[in-house]
Amino acid sequence: MSRFTVAGLTKTYGSNVVVDQLDLEVEEGEFLVLLGPSGCGKTTTLRCLAGLETPQGGSITFKDHVVFDGRTRTNVPPHKRNIGMVFQSYALWPHMTVRNNIRYPLKVRGRKQALADGAVEAAAEMVDCGALLDRYPSQLSGGQQQRVAVARGLVAQPDLVLFDEPLSNLDARLRDQVRTQIHQLHQRLGFTAVFVTHDQAEAFALGDRLAIMKSGRIEQYDAPERVFENPVSEYVAAFIGMANRLELRRDHDGWRTSAGDAIDLTHALVRDSADRGSAAVARLRPEDVMLHASAEEAPLGNVVLRAELVTYEYGGRYFDVTVATGTEQLLLRADATAHGPALRNSRPGAPVVVSFSPASLRIFPTSGDSVPVVPVVAPVSVGGHP
Ligand SMILES: Nc1ncnc2c1ncn2[C@@H]1O[C@H](COP(=O)(O)OP(=O)(O)OP(=O)(O)O)[C@@H](O)[C@H]1O
Ligand SMILES: [Mg+2]
């Protein structure tokens, strides 16, 4: 049975519905990532779980223990919910040493035994901060402060650990380090976590499951591999890196792009029959688009498009290239050794050829289409949680 259940959770500020009948189930030991754009209600959802906000309706159950129920007016206060929290801004108490910051959750819970058993020192060691116990937060780097915050969030072995974008204030290198450390700690300790982010790489790296949020609701709730392969909507596809968007329309002889190029969807993941719609949107990842010197170079079976170079950016082993085709622009990643010299010698507007496998397309209905095309899911096998 699920250990943490959120059902029909609703939170409004005035007429603004911020969390909208939200359902979530988190298994014990699971690392759930809540992913969504700014303002979609991620922090508000976490604050409701923590008891820092009072929802207007719905219920929240921790390990068979109802902590909130709008109908029965049950509302367990935050300090009785046994949760750990790690925030975006480190939120360490500036007037307390690292030791006292980490021991605070044990103190408020009256865990004298854990204090005597060296739980504070062990938690500091766990995040490589054992040598910093007598310092104050102002004497720590950002990465150290955030690691101390992680130790404080875990020290009392809470039922549930809530992370609200804990890595977003760190520079790129530190972000990777602390992310790996959180991942290792989760593998070792097996705590249950809800981790909020708007960074898709972070979500894929950490999540046992991902919940993609849109306007206070969960749009897709699934294993990372399934979200990656089978985004349920164009919104999810765009959010998880399918940055390229092609508008397609159906002619008497098949589908065409806005530039008029024929595009064979036989092998795309779409059920395509005459009674389906006449317009659709295709999404695909920049990594799935190839750049060619000529159309003959494109692999057999690929969709080949003639395009114009817009711009390119050097990225070390690769160039990030933008090309224009019809009314749309496509992003692609080109190998620097194979394409660097030619790109460096090209001006904006130069003709280029791009191609992609139809299997890399994900097709979605256009919003105004009354008889939409129906996406078919790719088979994906994943282990772990269902
Ligand atoms: N105390 C409040 N009073 C009124 N509106 C609020 C309050 N807190 C949040 N909101 C609004 O609720 C919406 C969701 O806010 P929330 O902080 O949950 O978003 P978020 O998904 O965490 O975004 P971000 O990625 O920017 O942190 C926003 O439109 C915000 O302006
Ligand atoms: Mg937030």
Side-chain angles (χ1 to χ4, degrees):
M1 187 188 156
S2 276
R3 301 310 291 262
F4 301 89
T5 309
V6 175
L9 191 73
T10 300
K11 175 71 193 169
T12 57
Y13 293 111
S15 61
N16 188 9
V17 182
V18 172
V19 180
D20 187 7
Q21 298 274 335
L22 181 125
D23 297 328
L24 268 186
E25 292 201 338
V26 192
E27 305 290 332
E28 186 152 22
E30 187 175 21
F31 200 106
L32 172 73
V33 175
L34 210 54
L35 178 68
S38 187
C40 73
K42 306 181 296 295
T43 295
T44 306
T45 303
L46 281 198
R47 290 176 60 80
C48 290
L49 285 169
L52 301 171
E53 297 283 349
T54 305
Q56 272 74 23
S59 64
I60 303 172
T61 310
F62 286 7
K63 296 186 159 188
D64 307 331
H65 176 53
V66 178
V67 297
F68 177 81
D69 192 323
R71 280 167 309 169
T72 59
R73 299 188 176 272
T74 307
N75 195 6
V76 175
H79 64 277
K80 293 196 173 155
R81 291 195 184 189
N82 198 22
I83 47 159
M85 290 197 77
V86 186
F87 303 97
Q88 173 173 5
S89 48
Y90 320 117
L92 299 175
W93 286 283
H95 61 288
M96 286 186 195
T97 59
V98 166
R99 185 189 309 279
N100 286 342
N101 264 285
I102 297 177
R103 76 194 284 266
Y104 186 83
L106 296 173
K107 210 175 125 191
V108 293
R109 289 171 169 86
R111 300 263 191 88
K112 293 203 177 81
Q113 195 57 47
L115 284 166
D117 290 346
V120 170
E121 291 73 14
E125 274 315 319
M126 182 173 86
V127 293
D128 301 328
C129 291
L132 308 175
L133 282 164
D134 295 318
R135 291 208 205 166
Y136 286 89
S138 62
Q139 299 169 317
L140 304 179
S141 72
Q144 288 166 336
Q145 288 185 46
Q146 201 52 313
R147 295 210 301 269
V148 171
V150 170
R152 189 181 59 182
L154 296 175
V155 70
Q157 298 179 330
D159 291 334
L160 183 64
V161 188
L162 306 176
F163 295 89
D164 193 0
E165 308 209 34
L167 309 179
S168 55
N169 279 359
L170 305 178
D171 69 47
R173 200 176 51 90
L174 270 179
R175 196 179 310 147
D176 287 353
Q177 275 176 11
V178 181
R179 180 178 93 185
T180 302
Q181 200 154 31
I182 290 174
H183 193 49
Q184 285 173 348
L185 284 172
H186 178 253
Q187 286 176 323
R188 188 148 63 84
L189 306 175
F191 53 84
T192 309
V194 179
F195 183 104
V196 158
T197 181
H198 56 251
D199 181 311
Q200 49 143 331
E202 222 166 272
F204 283 125
L206 290 171
D208 291 321
R209 272 196 293 180
L210 310 188
I212 290 91
M213 240 180 130
K214 177 187 181 184
S215 309
R217 284 173 173 263
I218 304 298
E219 179 97 344
Q220 185 164 9
Y221 189 28
D222 222 334
E225 289 88 341
R226 278 197 276 258
V227 174
F228 186 87
E229 290 297 340
N230 294 311
V232 295
S233 65
E234 200 202 344
Y235 172 89
V236 175
F239 204 75
I240 53 138
M242 295 193 147
N244 289 317
R245 180 179 201 272
L246 286 171
E247 285 190 7
L248 307 179
R249 66 193 153 75
R250 188 206 289 275
D251 262 2
H252 61 282
D253 61 347
W255 290 92
R256 292 191 181 275
T257 66
S258 68
D261 290 297
I263 187 161
D264 181 0
L265 295 184
T266 318
H267 298 292
L269 292 168
V270 61
R271 273 182 224 135
D272 181 24
S273 64
D275 61 350
R276 297 289 174 193
S278 58
V281 172
R283 283 273 175 181
L284 79 159
R285 295 192 159 78
E287 304 90 287
D288 290 331
V289 183
M290 302 164 81
L291 182 66
H292 308 291
S294 68
E296 291 70 44
E297 277 185 6
L300 209 61
N302 266 20
V303 175
V304 180
L305 301 179
R306 281 165 214 289
E308 279 183 5
L309 181 66
V310 175
T311 186
Y312 58 82
E313 290 170 15
Y314 180 54
R317 296 248 159 80
Y318 56 85
F319 279 82
D320 283 321
V321 184
T322 307
V323 303
T325 165
T327 56
E328 286 134 350
Q329 293 199 335
L330 289 179
L331 307 174
L332 64 94
R333 190 157 270 198
D335 180 77
T337 311
H339 297 284
L343 281 169
R344 290 281 193 201
N345 286 325
S346 301
R347 293 186 171 280
V352 292
V353 176
V354 299
S355 85
F356 51 82
S357 162
S360 62
L361 293 174
R362 294 294 176 273
I363 310 292
F364 303 99
T366 55
S367 47
D369 203 357
S370 58
V371 197
V373 291
V374 182
V376 174
V377 292
V380 182
S381 73
V382 286
H385 295 285

